[in-house]
Each structure stands twice: as structure tokens, then as C-alpha cells.
Amino acid sequence: MIASAVACIILFEGFTFNMVEGLRETTIETQTGHLQIASQSFWEKKKLRPKDNLIPNYTKILAELNRDKRIKYAAGRLEFFGLLSHGDESISTRVTTVDPFKERSRNKYFNFRKGRELSHKRPFEVAVGSGLAKKLSIETGSQVTVLTHTYDGIVNAMDFKVSGIFQTDIAEFDDNTLLMPLKTAQRLLDTKAVEQIVIGLNSSRDTKSVMESMAPKLSSLAPETDIKTWFQLATLYKQVSMFNSVQNTIIQMILMTLVLLSIANTVGMSIMERTGEIGTLRALGEQRASVVVQFLFEGFVLGTTGVLIGTLGGIGFAHFFNSLNIPIVFPGASSPIFIKIAVLFSAMAKAGISGIVITVLAALLPAYRSAKMNIVQALRHNI
Amino acid sequence: MIVQLKDRVCENIVQAVDVGRKYSLGLCEHQALLGVNFNLKKNDFAAIAGPSGSGKSTLLNILGCLERPSNGDVLIEGISTQKFNTFELAEFRAHRLGFIFQTFNLIPTLSALENVEYPLLLLKLKAKDRRLQAEEALVKVGLEKFLKSRPNEMSGGQRQRVAIARAIVKKPVLILADEPTANLDQKTAREILDLMQRLNVEDGISVLFSSHDGEVLKRASSVTYLVDGQVWNPKERGNLLVA
């Protein structure tokens, strides 16, 4: 029982960890970056005129950012809504920009299913999410029109050729997003500024330290701006992560309650069978506390053995499941991925420690009862 | 407490003073012992006799500090056990008393040697000394060839010898034996009684055993008869035939 519970916890935690980690990487690389700089009014959505949220001197900030070796890329970004038309059909679309040269490392996360990624050498090409492409029957090479209005409120439109169709792990993103080169978007919106600066780091671990080192520089370069981490911006990730954490805790509690009841029953049965033995030991002069300690020690040995078997089983099953390449579509995902279970030391430690503690706790009450047993009555149980 | 008792020289090993024991059986109360007075002198090989339900085992349990009397007192080597707490009683049993049970009560998972070693473990002796003393005790009861045998690999007589070795290994002042021969055939019972008598003489250990077997009782140096929980005095109450 305890071995199965420990193995289940290791497998479940490893499975959800990989799922959440995958979502985190996709969120960072396709949407938020590790850090974002924007005006305070942009974050607070205070100003009604989007033009007031722009960062005009963003190139100076980029120059400062590019000096930091922890930063993989830093690029300006614009995000706006427009009407995407293909043939006779039109649909409201979210347009997000990329700097095809600086942000080329992000391309693999967009997972281009058809066509090719954007290039700074082909400014009038756009990429379309798979869901959006399906809605408008867009294929690579299709001609599309994006209609929007500039920051000054003038209607503007541009024709583009679809270079590729991408499919990230987030269906909602693929269903309504169009990627456009930044320079082209600036032309369409008639601006030389950007709304945000998106920063990608070589390592997620540097997020806090880069933010701390950039904050004072920003206050002199662009005092009206503020810097935020991906975690502050990734609402979906936070929700999924918290949901998984609560779910894991509940599952762990259920499993450990079953272990508690099962071990208490096992130790209780063992004590029943050994009533005569306990009576003999107490008659020979064994102290009550020693009897309790003996049964707790048995619980500890039982727990440790179960935890060791469960851990080995968990690791074995994780490798076995990983080798099977079982496809699964997560809620909100646009495409199936293979089940991958991470073997986490933290999960093993958590399952192991709670397994041993629960087993010892489960042995406590029966052990206490056995120690309180009347010696003469206990001796009547023949050995 | 144990230190106090160790060097004590007392003529009476155990004394029961006006001991009574009541048991509650649902709404009813059963008087198992009533006003029992009893003395066991040093080096005695004494017996408690009486028919089934007369209170023999209850008296032995009380004298062995396995249960407390409802009233009265038990003095061991002159010291009252009335105020001893559970811890002190267990400590006392561990150091000063040996028990032999009708059903042998050996730990089935331990070998003969380990069973005999166990009481010495409670005295916190070193492993080497424990082993040596346990081997000596088993040799004394004639089981030198069965050191490694488990209880289920031995006959009833051999098991009772292991139980005797377990009782004598810590050199107690008193061995209490509750019907030690009841589960044995006559020949084996005689051998066991011979062994207990020999240990009583050679090692000077006082032995108090219960029985209702006339042949067994003949071996005792003194016999106390119990009838309906009271000591039966032939001068006061006439003769009693013991079956």
C-alpha cells in the first residue's frame, strides 16, 4: 500500500511538473519573454489613448540591455487588434510583433507546421496561428489584408503574404494570433515607438537578478516605465500551476489517508496476533514505553521499506511510460504531446518523508493500546 | 528501588498481607481472593494448591507484581509494593523475578538462545555477557544442543526447559511458576520438577508454583491450599482432598 502510494505520488508529481514546465517555457518564449518593460500606464491600463503608452526612446533601452550577457534577446513589441481578411472572409485578430532577426531563437517554440518563419528580409510576410488559419482557410502563400487604425486614429491597411502557419502548445493563442515583423507593424501603425520591450534570458534563474540590475538604469533612461517578470504577467500559467499544486496536495492527502488507515489496520492486526507475546515481554519486565517504541520502530521499518520499493517502482514506471510515447492533449492545448514524466528528487523526498511519517503515526495508536494492555489478560492469549 | 533491594537480607522473600482481589464482570463483581495472608521463606520450594477457580493464578499474578490487589499489600523482601508505579513494578520484575508459564510463552520468532537472552537485554548487559550467561543457563537445563532451535522445532518439555532457563538466567530471588507441568506428560513433568528442585537447591532460588496435581504437590516443601479465594487451614476447616 505504502509503496503504491509513494510510486503514485512520484509519477503524478513528475507528470504535472513536466506539464507545467512545458507551459511555462511556451508562455515565456511565445508570449511574455522573461521580462517586459512598458510604461506604468500600459500596465495599469489607465490611459484611454494607446499612444500615451508608447516608449519612444526604446532603442536606447535596447542598447543598454544588449550589454548584459545574461540576456539572449531584447526586442520592442507592439500588440494591437485588427481585422484580418482573406478572400471574402474577415475576422478580428490579435496582432503581435516579432523582431525576426533579434528574436530568431523563439522560432522553435512557434513550431511552424507549414511554410517558414518570418525574416527581416521579407517585411511583408506574416505568420498565422493554426486555428486562425483554419477559420479563414489560409494556407502558406495566401494573400491577406490587415485593417487597423494608427495611434492617431486613422484607418490603415496593408496586404501581406502568409509565410507560415504556426502551432504553439496554447490553443487560445493559435486561434486568434497573427505574427508580424516589428518594423512593418510600426509602419502600419505609423509610429517609431513600441509599447513593450520583451527580454529573453539565457537562463530563467537570472530573471530576478536581471530585473534588479535593470531597475535603476530604467529609472534614469525612461522613468515612466516599469519592469515586470514573466510570472507577474503569465495569468494562465499561474492558474494552471496553482490548480496542479492544489490537485497534487489533495491526491497526496487522499493517498496518505489510505496509507494511514491501511497501516493502522496492519499494525493493529499484528498487535492482536502478538498479544500473548506482548504480555510475556511485559511480564519479563519490559517497560510500556519500550513496547510503544518497538511497534513504532516496526512502523518505521515498514514505512522505509515501502518508501524504498515505491521510489524504485516510481522511477521504473516513469522511465517505462516515457519510453511508450503516449500522446495526450492537455486542456487548452492545440496539439497532442507525448506523456513525459520527470523523476523529481523533491517529489521523491516529499513522498518518502510523508510516507515514513504517516506509517509511524499509523503505528502510534495501536502501539499505545498494546502498551496499556493488562498483562494478565494478554498472557491468556497463548503463544 | 532495585538498588535498595539488591543487598537486602530478609527471611521472607514474599509476604501477602490480607490480600483481596475483586473483578468486575459487567454488573456483577467476582471476589477472586479474600483476606489472603501468605509467607514465602528464602530458598523455599513451595506450592499453592486448590481446585480450578480457587484463585491460585490470581495470587501468583499478584505476588509476581503482574496485577495489583484490590486491597491488602504484597511485601517483597520486606518492602511494600503498594506504592510502586507501573514503571517501578516492571523494573522490579525485570531484576528480581522469574516466571514460568503453563503454556511456556516463548517468543516464536526467536531462537532458544535469544529467548533466554531477552531478560538480560532488559538489564542492559553487554551483548557478550548476555550471550555467555544465556548459554550457561541453557547448558544448566540440558539444552546445549538446541541453542539455535526455534520453539516450534522443540518438544513441550524442551520448550519448558527454555522457559526455565529464561527464568533463572538473571539469577532472580524468586521464580513463580503457574502450573508448569500442566501441559506436559507425566515423565516430562517429573523431569521438569527434578530440574526446578535441583536449581532451587544448587542456586538457592526460591520457587513458588501452583498446581492441582497431587503427585506434583508431593514435591513441594510447603503447600498453601486455596478454596474459593481464601487460604484453607486444615486445623480450622477439616481435611481437603486434592485431586
Side-chain angles (χ1 to χ4, degrees):
Chain A
M1 181 69 205
I2 184 147
S4 326
V6 167
C8 285
I9 290 169
I10 290 170
L11 291 173
F12 198 74
E13 290 235 345
F15 172 66
T16 53
F17 173 83
N18 258 3
M19 188 176 80
V20 173
E21 279 292 290
L23 178 65
R24 188 187 77 176
E25 287 308 304
T26 306
T27 304
I28 289 171
E29 294 297 340
T30 61
Q31 295 181 42
T32 63
H34 287 95
L35 292 163
Q36 278 189 23
I37 297 167
S39 70
Q40 284 158 10
S41 57
F42 174 82
W43 298 126
E44 291 160 10
K45 313 275 182 212
K46 269 185 186 169
K47 295 188 178 169
L48 291 173
R49 291 195 322 152
K51 193 177 181 179
D52 295 337
N53 295 331
L54 294 173
I55 310 169
N57 61 338
Y58 80 100
T59 48
K60 281 185 188 170
I61 300 172
L62 286 182
E64 184 62 39
L65 288 169
N66 286 330
R67 283 192 206 139
D68 195 320
K69 290 192 174 165
R70 292 169 295 179
I71 294 172
K72 187 161 67 176
Y73 65 84
R77 185 178 289 177
L78 286 167
E79 261 190 17
F80 57 97
F81 281 88
L83 197 67
L84 175 68
S85 302
H86 176 238
D88 295 335
E89 290 181 86
S90 298
I91 195 165
S92 176
T93 305
R94 180 172 74 176
V95 181
T96 186
T97 66
V98 290
D99 186 322
F101 183 70
K102 288 179 181 167
E103 297 179 77
R104 57 190 178 278
S105 63
R106 292 172 64 202
N107 283 331
K108 65 175 178 181
Y109 294 96
F110 285 112
N111 191 15
F112 282 88
R113 288 292 169 96
K114 289 179 185 169
R116 59 190 177 183
E117 59 264 21
L118 299 179
S119 166
H120 64 288
K121 291 175 186 165
R122 300 186 298 274
F124 294 103
E125 284 188 357
V126 291
V128 180
S130 57
L132 184 60
K134 199 173 174 186
K135 283 179 201 167
L136 292 179
S137 309
I138 293 171
E139 292 293 335
T140 50
S142 297
Q143 288 292 326
V144 294
T145 306
V146 176
L147 176 75
T148 187
H149 38 70
T150 67
Y151 282 105
D152 292 319
I154 300 160
V155 175
N156 198 6
M158 273 187 176
D159 291 328
F160 297 96
K161 184 181 170 188
V162 174
S163 70
I165 293 169
F166 63 84
Q167 188 171 36
T168 67
D169 292 336
I170 303 167
E172 186 258 343
F173 186 77
D174 300 342
D175 284 350
N176 57 27
T177 306
L178 179 141
L179 294 179
M180 186 182 283
L182 175 65
K183 295 282 179 197
T184 311
Q186 284 175 322
R187 206 167 145 188
L188 179 64
L189 299 174
D190 192 22
T191 182
K192 287 184 177 173
V194 294
E195 275 182 338
Q196 298 152 271
I197 294 170
V198 182
I199 303 164
L201 302 176
N202 290 313
S203 167
S204 299
R205 284 194 297 269
D206 293 332
T207 305
K208 203 180 167 193
S209 62
V210 172
M211 187 174 94
E212 283 167 357
S213 63
M214 277 311 297
K217 290 174 190 165
L218 271 181
S219 61
S220 61
L221 279 170
E224 73 285 0
T225 59
D226 201 0
I227 187 163
K228 287 193 187 241
T229 64
W230 66 269
F231 189 76
Q232 289 169 292
L233 302 166
T235 312
L236 177 67
Y237 170 81
K238 277 194 277 191
Q239 288 169 342
V240 171
S241 177
M242 188 178 288
F243 173 77
N244 277 312
S245 167
V246 171
Q247 186 179 248
N248 283 359
T249 308
I250 291 171
I251 286 174
Q252 194 167 357
M253 280 168 67
I254 293 170
L255 286 171
M256 285 303 158
T257 307
L258 291 176
V259 169
L260 184 84
L261 296 174
S262 151
I263 300 294
N265 187 44
T266 308
V267 178
M269 289 293 286
S270 160
I271 286 169
M272 279 281 285
E273 284 166 10
R274 290 157 62 187
T275 303
E277 190 180 316
I278 294 164
T280 306
L281 298 183
R282 295 273 293 118
L284 293 178
E286 189 73 271
Q287 294 290 353
R288 276 181 178 168
S290 305
V291 175
V292 174
V293 169
Q294 272 186 34
F295 280 105
L296 291 187
F297 183 70
E298 277 184 33
F300 175 78
V301 171
L302 197 68
T304 309
T305 311
V307 163
L308 284 175
I309 295 169
T311 305
L312 291 174
I315 295 170
F317 274 116
H319 287 299
F320 175 67
F321 282 126
N322 289 346
S323 70
L324 290 180
N325 285 334
I326 303 166
I328 184 171
V329 181
F330 287 118
S334 54
S335 58
I337 60 159
F338 294 124
I339 290 180
K340 290 289 168 203
I341 298 168
V343 177
L344 301 170
F345 178 76
S346 60
M348 288 191 281
K350 194 158 79 172
I353 291 169
S354 47
I356 292 170
V357 170
I358 289 288
T359 320
V360 173
L361 277 180
L364 191 62
L365 186 64
Y368 178 72
R369 278 192 190 146
S370 75
K372 292 282 280 181
M373 213 181 273
N374 180 297
I375 300 174
V376 175
Q377 282 176 10
L379 279 170
R380 287 193 188 120
H381 289 253
N382 286 354
I383 294 182
Chain B
M1 179 214 33
I2 301 307
V3 178
Q4 276 180 310
L5 286 170
K6 258 183 182 170
D7 305 319
R8 204 172 170 83
V9 180
C10 189
E11 199 188 334
N12 288 324
I13 293 287
V14 187
Q15 258 182 295
V17 183
D18 197 24
V19 165
R21 184 72 172 102
K22 256 185 214 171
Y23 291 108
S24 292
L25 301 167
L27 294 172
C28 307
E29 279 197 335
H30 171 66
Q31 186 79 45
L33 291 176
L34 182 66
V36 173
N37 289 294
F38 173 82
N39 275 349
L40 182 76
K41 292 204 165 32
K42 205 169 162 69
N43 298 339
D44 257 4
F45 189 75
I48 300 173
S52 294
S54 60
K56 300 187 297 292
S57 296
T58 305
L59 182 59
L60 272 183
N61 290 336
I62 289 172
L63 296 175
C65 303
L66 296 177
E67 62 180 317
R68 292 176 187 274
S70 306
N71 57 281
D73 194 7
V74 173
L75 286 83
I76 298 187
E77 293 182 287
I79 291 181
S80 165
T81 58
Q82 210 169 30
K83 287 181 183 168
F84 285 0
N85 61 27
T86 313
F87 179 88
E88 287 168 332
L89 285 177
E91 201 185 23
F92 181 77
R93 288 194 300 271
H95 284 82
R96 311 296 279 172
L97 300 179
F99 291 93
I100 299 169
F101 303 101
Q102 181 182 339
T103 48
F104 325 126
N105 288 50
L106 300 176
I107 310 298
T109 49
L110 302 182
S111 68
L113 187 66
E114 287 162 343
N115 263 288
V116 177
E117 242 187 289
Y118 199 89
L120 302 176
L121 195 73
L122 302 177
L123 301 184
K124 298 183 172 56
L125 261 64
K126 285 181 186 164
K128 199 178 163 188
D129 296 340
R130 287 202 308 261
R131 182 98 347 167
L132 205 68
Q133 290 184 34
E135 279 175 8
E136 273 175 24
L138 282 165
V139 169
K140 207 173 260 186
V141 298
L143 287 179
E144 59 274 12
K145 289 180 184 166
F146 295 89
L147 301 183
K148 303 275 177 205
S149 304
R150 299 210 172 211
N152 62 357
E153 296 161 351
M154 290 190 268
S155 68
Q158 286 167 336
R159 286 185 213 184
Q160 197 60 304
R161 281 170 187 268
V162 176
I164 291 169
R166 184 177 65 183
I168 61 166
V169 72
K170 59 186 170 187
K171 300 180 176 64
V173 291
L174 170 66
I175 287 178
L176 294 147
D178 191 7
E179 309 222 21
T181 57
N183 275 9
L184 304 172
D185 60 72
Q186 278 191 331
K187 183 174 170 275
T188 313
R190 266 201 305 277
E191 286 169 6
I192 291 296
L193 283 169
D194 289 343
L195 175 64
M196 284 167 63
Q197 259 182 324
R198 182 163 59 83
L199 294 169
N200 169 247
V201 174
E202 286 176 5
D203 295 355
I205 303 170
S206 310
V207 178
L208 178 62
F209 63 94
S210 69
S211 181
H212 55 260
D213 184 340
E215 288 300 312
V216 173
L217 293 173
K218 280 180 193 167
R219 302 284 197 103
S221 56
S222 65
V223 179
T224 302
Y225 291 96
L226 284 180
V227 177
D228 295 334
Q230 289 178 283
V231 176
W232 180 78
N233 188 334
K235 287 174 190 166
E236 290 173 10
R237 294 172 155 184
N239 290 323
L240 177 81
L241 289 172
V242 179

